[in-house]
Amino acid sequence: YVRVEGFTDSDPPKKSAKKFPTNEALSQARAESVVRYLASKGVGSSRMEALGRGAANPKATKAASRRVEIHILGS
């Protein structure tokens, strides 16, 4: 089982504000994009979930906070 978590920095979306009005929406889209990629490479989509975490758990820099984490949870 795989959990894909998307994150953002704390700044509200600017360039993509129409498509992603909130950090949560942007982070969810990031996670879903990675799930689609993994599924295209053969990972069973029923074994994955995508979660948008928004600006939760920031890293040291804003750039580092814009990330996706993949957690392998077992079967």
Side-chain angles (χ1 to χ4, degrees):
Y1 189 75
V2 178
R3 183 176 62 226
V4 179
E5 297 180 358
F7 294 87
T8 64
D9 60 28
S10 59
D11 294 341
K14 292 176 188 158
K15 292 180 183 177
S16 60
K18 288 185 180 186
K19 191 171 183 181
F20 308 111
T22 65
N23 280 330
E24 288 73 20
L26 177 57
S27 64
Q28 182 69 33
R30 285 180 177 163
E32 290 171 356
S33 177
V34 171
V35 165
R36 283 192 302 275
Y37 173 79
L38 292 173
S40 77
K41 298 301 179 187
V43 179
S45 57
S46 65
R47 299 179 54 99
M48 294 185 284
E49 75 173 322
L51 296 173
R53 300 289 191 190
N57 302 327
K59 297 290 186 183
T61 66
K62 287 187 178 190
S65 294
R66 298 177 205 124
R67 70 193 189 279
V68 172
E69 295 179 357
I70 300 171
H71 300 273
I72 310 299
L73 304 173
S75 50

